[in-house]
């Protein structure tokens, strides 16, 4: 299984588990930390698929074992009035306390991929991620200092512990954010300025994975922005380039450009769920990514609630994504019945560990289906309950028969099939919203009162 199971996680709070891991990290001698080789990682579930090798191929120095195939998305973690009153609907923004509890829960289970964007709350989501990450680093530093004062260590070991507590590369966290190709951005300088601003908001000097939020621009093609990324990489502002919402042809163009200019293209973040799977465009993209060694990060993996237990016929009528994708209840019913059946079967599995007694949800089935297809599910959580349910999916796997059954029932509502003009219009509208949120933040209105609750 791909997760790093932590026995204490079921018995202690997420904060306690993080503190324990920080202390244990200080006890580890340098020569005991050996990076897993690519050959060894091929024994991991999924064989030599590029998604499973993302960490070994590009971030060997950071991880001695493969982290869980899971990512926390922060689309709804912005803190501006627009996020509070419009984008998040009646639910409003997350408080800082809620965001911290969710972040700590994911970290306590070894999750390392955290996804945000300059377009999420005009960069206020990036700031929130940066704050939570810095809190973790400071906690590790404090724990190392306590250990340093109680255990006899050499000067070299003390320096190593200090560096581990303060450096970006050894933080055991990969921060991903995105460049939005707004119509008024059309130079390498615009790309670099946006990257520097994102790094500053997150409190880092170099972005681990910087994504092109969309290949759609009114005048510039994908290759131009890849060249921009290569320029920034040479300046030490980023490690690797990621893509988002790219088709098979766009992925191939980006990878070839990356080889030409000298920047690795490591992943493509796309809609990938049981609502999309039977699309030819999605299969072409998936095959191209596997051929070229590009990992797939699956966002919208729960179909924006359509693949969860909470959905029903009445709620479906009010669901905007369902209306946009023209999905009726009759379209969903066979798939939802299968999801529930599989969830019940695993809930009643007597061979499961005694600590894994919670019922299996439809959402967990949908997430494990994504992992069975060698993608990294990207999940947005608004509560600790949702976070715990998401993390519970790491405790078990689907069998091949269950995966095949769901494959057959999957729909074909793929965003890659959308006409180009719609994809470009989306980028324009997203750019306008981003600019409005950024102006609010600049004018001192970047954090509404509710978002500040629990802020340190």
């Amino acid at each position: 299984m791909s997760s790093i199971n932590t026995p204490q996680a079921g018995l202690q709070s997420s904060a306690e588990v993080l503190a324990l891991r920080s202390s244990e990290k200080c006890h580890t001698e340098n020569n005991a930390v050996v990076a897993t080789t690519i050959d060894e990682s091929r024994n991991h579930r999924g064989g030599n698929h590029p998604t499973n090798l993302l960490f070994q191929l590009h971030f060997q120095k950071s991880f001695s074992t493969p982290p869980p195939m899971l990512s926390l998305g922060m689309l709804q973690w912005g803190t501006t009035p627009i996020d509070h009153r419009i984008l998040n609907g009646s639910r409003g923004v997350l408080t800082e306390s809620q965001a911290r509890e969710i972040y700590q829960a994911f970290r306590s289970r070894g999750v390392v991929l955290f996804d945000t964007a300059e377009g999420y709350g005009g960069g206020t989501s990036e700031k929130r991620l940066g704050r939570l990450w810095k809190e973790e680093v400071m906690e590790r530093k404090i724990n190392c200092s306590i250990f340093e004062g109680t255990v006899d260590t050499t000067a070299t070991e003390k320096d190593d512990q200090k560096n581990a507590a303060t450096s970006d590369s050894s933080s055991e966290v990969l921060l991903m954010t995105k460049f939005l190709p707004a119509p008024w951005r059309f130079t390498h300088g615009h790309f670099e300025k946006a990257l520097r601003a994102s790094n500053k908001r997150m409190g880092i000097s170099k972005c681990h994975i910087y994504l092109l939020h969309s290949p759609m621009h009114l005048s510039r093609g994908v290759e131009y922005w890849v060249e921009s990324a290569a320029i920034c990489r040479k300046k030490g502002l980023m490690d690797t380039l990621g893509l988002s919402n790219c088709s098979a042809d766009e992925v191939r163009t980006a990878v070839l450009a990356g080889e030409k200019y000298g920047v690795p293209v490591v992943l493509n973040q796309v809609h990938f769920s049981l609502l999309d799977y039977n699309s030819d465009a999605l299969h072409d993209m998936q095959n191209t990514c596997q051929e070229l060694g590009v990992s797939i990060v699956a966002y919208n993996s729960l179909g924006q609630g359509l693949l969860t237990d909470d959905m029903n016929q009445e709620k479906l009528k009010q669901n905007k994504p369902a209306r946009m994708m023209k999905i009726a209840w009759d379209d969903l019913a066979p798939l939802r019945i299968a999801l529930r059946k599989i969830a019940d079967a695993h809930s009643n599995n007597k061979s499961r560990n005694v600590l894994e007694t919670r019922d299996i949800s439809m959402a967990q089935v949908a997430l494990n289906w994504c992992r069975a297809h060698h993608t990294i599910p990207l999940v947005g959580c608004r509560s600790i309950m949702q976070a715990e349910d998401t993390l519970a999916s790491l405790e078990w796997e689907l069998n091949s028969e269950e995966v095949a059954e769901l494959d057959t029932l999957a729909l074909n509502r793929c965003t890659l099939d959308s006409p180009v003009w719609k994809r470009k219009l989306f980028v324009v509208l997203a750019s306008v919203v981003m600019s409005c949120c950024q102006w609010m933040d600049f004018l001192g209105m970047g954090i509404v009162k509710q978002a500040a609750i629990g802020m340190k």
Side-chain angles (χ1 to χ4, degrees), residues 70-87:
L70 184 65
S71 177
L72 178 62
M74 300 178 174
L75 171 62
Q76 298 184 27
W77 284 36
T79 61
T80 70
I82 291 177
D83 295 287
H84 187 51
R85 298 191 178 95
I86 300 175
L87 299 181

Side-chain angles (χ1 to χ4, degrees), residues 15 21 40 43 84 97 125 139 192 261 274 279 375 419 451 455:
R21 288 189 171 190
E40 289 173 334
N43 295 322
H84 187 51
S97 297
S125 174
E139 183 68 25
E192 180 178 334
Y261 295 114
L274 284 160
S279 159
T375 69
M455 189 174 292

Side-chain angles (χ1 to χ4, degrees), residues 42-218:
R42 285 172 181 162
N43 295 322
H44 186 59
R45 184 166 65 91
N48 61 356
H49 196 280
T51 293
N52 295 26
L53 300 181
L54 171 64
F55 307 107
Q56 282 68 48
L57 287 173
H58 303 289
F59 301 99
Q60 286 187 33
K61 295 181 181 179
S62 297
F63 307 105
S64 57
T65 57
M69 290 173 63
L70 184 65
S71 177
L72 178 62
M74 300 178 174
L75 171 62
Q76 298 184 27
W77 284 36
T79 61
T80 70
I82 291 177
D83 295 287
H84 187 51
R85 298 191 178 95
I86 300 175
L87 299 181
N88 291 339
S90 60
R91 298 170 297 181
V93 297
L94 287 174
T95 67
E96 193 81 353
S97 297
Q98 290 172 318
R100 181 181 298 110
E101 191 174 17
I102 293 169
Y103 175 86
Q104 289 180 343
F106 274 72
R107 289 294 295 126
S108 71
R109 291 302 306 274
V111 175
V112 301
L113 275 177
F114 293 87
D115 177 79
T116 183
E118 61 171 348
Y120 301 166
T124 57
S125 174
E126 291 176 320
K127 288 184 176 181
R128 174 169 271 180
L129 174 57
R131 288 195 298 270
L132 297 176
W133 172 73
K134 283 296 183 183
E135 286 179 13
E136 180 186 349
V137 171
M138 290 305 298
E139 183 68 25
R140 181 182 293 122
K141 184 176 181 180
I142 291 171
N143 288 334
C144 285
S145 297
I146 294 173
F147 171 72
E148 188 179 42
T150 58
V151 179
D152 186 25
T153 57
T154 67
T156 301
E157 287 172 337
K158 289 180 180 180
D159 289 341
D160 290 340
Q161 291 159 11
K162 182 178 179 181
N163 292 334
T166 57
S167 68
D168 292 352
S169 62
S170 62
S171 66
E172 292 189 349
V173 170
L174 296 181
L175 306 183
M176 303 191 295
T177 191
K178 308 179 190 73
F179 168 78
L180 187 61
W184 51 86
R185 291 172 163 175
F186 47 85
T187 68
H188 296 316
H190 288 136
F191 186 96
E192 180 178 334
K193 182 179 179 181
L195 173 55
R196 288 184 181 274
S198 287
N199 285 350
K200 183 178 180 180
R201 285 189 288 266
M202 292 188 292
I204 59 178
S205 59
K206 179 190 293 186
C207 185
H208 299 111
I209 308 175
Y210 195 50
L211 283 75
L212 176 60
H213 208 152
S214 169
M216 296 292 110
H217 190 269
L218 298 183

